Amino acid sequence: EAGVTQFPSHSVIEKGQTVTLRCDPISGHDNLYWYRRVMGKEIKFLLHFVKESKQDESGMPNNRFLAERTGGTYSTLKVQPAELEDSGVYFCASSQDSDYLGNYGYTFGSGTRLTVV
Amino acid sequence: GIQVEQSPPDLILQEGANSTLRCNFSDSVNNLQWFHQNPWGQLINLFYIPSGTKQNGRLSATTVATERYSLLYISSSQTTDSGVYFCARAPSGGSYIPTFGRGTSLIVHP
């Protein structure tokens, strides 16, 4: 079974440019999550999709971030325009059941390291 | 909000050494997990352990929910144990959106 795939693995862009990150969850997982880790800090929740719907986007930092999940399959996270403070590692995770108490667990992708210069 | 604190922030070991990583949390726990971010960046589930003790090979974890902490033990460390270890917890019931600690960065030298 393929895991959670994220693309690209690294991205270096200039301030003001646009970047789109992609996440392919495990097939059949309705729940997809985006997280971000700024260097040296904790991993912070960004948003949660259930199929194609945004269940919780309380962690999105501002309106420069736009997440979509077309057809309930893969998801994209677009940052436009990128700022220096957007640098960090963006993780995607998927799970079978959102009302989960740890029995199934998250499966995380390898992350996209974004550097804004 | 929920606070999750990890210690130490950094740890350097020689191969073969043992170590203990700690996770303190501010609220009662119903979900507590340990993750390992390996050198390739991937986050791997290690343990789901809201209470008690679990062991998996050279790794074991203990959560004392009444005292609001969890410990991750690594015995006979190997270079492949290097990476960042995170603990995470979430409130009981409903949707699981965990709060992560800042992680413990572990380097194991050969």
Side-chain angles (χ1 to χ4, degrees):
Chain A
E1 176 185 79
V4 176
T5 305
Q6 292 188 245
F7 182 84
S9 57
H10 295 86
S11 180
V12 181
I13 62 172
E14 293 184 350
K15 177 181 173 181
Q17 289 186 321
T18 298
V19 63
T20 300
L21 315 180
R22 173 169 170 147
C23 170
D24 287 75
I26 291 174
S27 178
H29 281 192
D30 287 341
N31 296 279
L32 186 150
Y33 310 82
W34 284 98
Y35 291 84
R36 176 174 71 173
R37 185 185 185 217
V38 174
M39 180 64 70
K41 297 194 174 181
E42 64 272 23
I43 299 171
K44 283 196 172 180
F45 166 79
L46 295 179
L47 87 160
H48 170 208
F49 283 101
V50 177
K51 297 184 180 179
E52 68 275 9
S53 299
K54 293 176 184 175
Q55 182 77 7
D56 183 346
E57 53 183 329
S58 60
M60 295 288 265
N62 51 60
N63 59 10
R64 295 185 293 103
F65 289 75
L66 175 64
E68 295 179 324
R69 190 179 183 193
T70 306
T73 55
Y74 71 90
S75 175
T76 58
L77 179 64
K78 179 188 289 187
V79 185
Q80 178 183 28
E83 298 290 343
L84 298 179
E85 64 264 25
D86 300 332
S87 296
V89 181
Y90 290 78
F91 290 101
C92 174
S94 71
S95 69
Q96 288 181 301
D97 187 351
S98 63
D99 187 18
Y100 119 83
L101 300 178
N103 292 325
Y104 301 106
Y106 279 8
T107 300
F108 279 90
S110 296
T112 294
R113 184 176 298 278
L114 174 65
T115 303
V116 182
V117 297
Chain B
I2 299 166
Q3 302 289 329
V4 179
E5 296 182 354
Q6 292 187 243
S7 60
D10 301 282
L11 189 57
I12 299 175
L13 300 173
Q14 285 296 127
E15 202 167 28
N18 302 327
S19 61
T20 301
L21 282 58
R22 186 177 179 106
C23 175
N24 291 334
F25 36 88
S26 61
D27 203 348
S28 59
V29 64
N30 288 282
N31 297 276
L32 194 289
Q33 279 192 272
W34 284 95
F35 296 87
H36 175 216
Q37 185 183 13
N38 62 27
W40 294 271
Q42 191 174 17
L43 274 171
I44 309 294
N45 287 342
L46 294 178
F47 294 102
Y48 164 66
I49 185 165
S51 64
T53 298
K54 289 186 178 180
Q55 181 158 6
N56 184 4
R58 295 180 296 102
L59 272 62
S60 64
T62 295
T63 297
V64 184
T66 54
E67 298 187 22
R68 300 180 182 178
Y69 72 87
S70 183
L71 302 175
L72 178 69
Y73 304 96
I74 304 174
S75 64
S76 304
S77 59
Q78 300 177 358
T79 56
T80 52
D81 295 331
S82 297
V84 184
Y85 290 80
F86 294 96
C87 66
R89 69 161 307 277
S92 60
S95 179
Y96 177 79
I97 303 296
T99 298
F100 285 82
R102 292 193 176 191
T104 292
S105 177
L106 173 64
I107 298 174
V108 181
H109 289 301

